[in-house]
Amino acid sequence: MNIPLTVIGQFIIIFAVVIAIVSYYLGRRKTETPALAAVLGAVFSIVPIFGLIYVVVLMFKRDLVREAESGA
């Protein structure tokens, strides 16, 4: 079975956008720079398994303690 290259390219682009969005929302809670987390997620998603690994690592990272939440 032959899969056209355009279908593979479209899958990678859609996958990268989805991983970037998920990385941004996780990055808001877990990093100081959520935009950088989203860009890294999109770049790593060029190879889909790397994108999934990045999201899993980001999920298991500890949440940041914000000043408003700490009561200070």
Side-chain angles (χ1 to χ4, degrees):
M1 180 171 111
N2 293 333
I3 300 174
L5 190 59
T6 56
V7 173
I8 295 171
Q10 289 172 350
F11 170 75
I12 290 174
I13 290 172
I14 292 170
F15 187 76
V17 169
V18 169
I19 292 295
I21 292 169
V22 170
S23 296
Y24 178 77
Y25 283 113
L26 284 172
R28 282 182 29 196
R29 286 191 356 221
K30 308 211 181 243
T31 66
E32 298 277 331
T33 56
L36 181 62
V39 170
L40 283 173
V43 169
F44 284 142
S45 292
I46 292 172
V47 178
I49 192 71
F50 291 156
L52 291 175
I53 291 171
Y54 177 73
V55 168
V56 168
V57 168
L58 202 57
M59 271 181 15
F60 287 117
K61 187 176 178 184
R62 290 181 186 236
D63 288 348
L64 290 179
V65 177
R66 304 281 180 193
E67 290 181 20
E69 294 174 0
S70 65

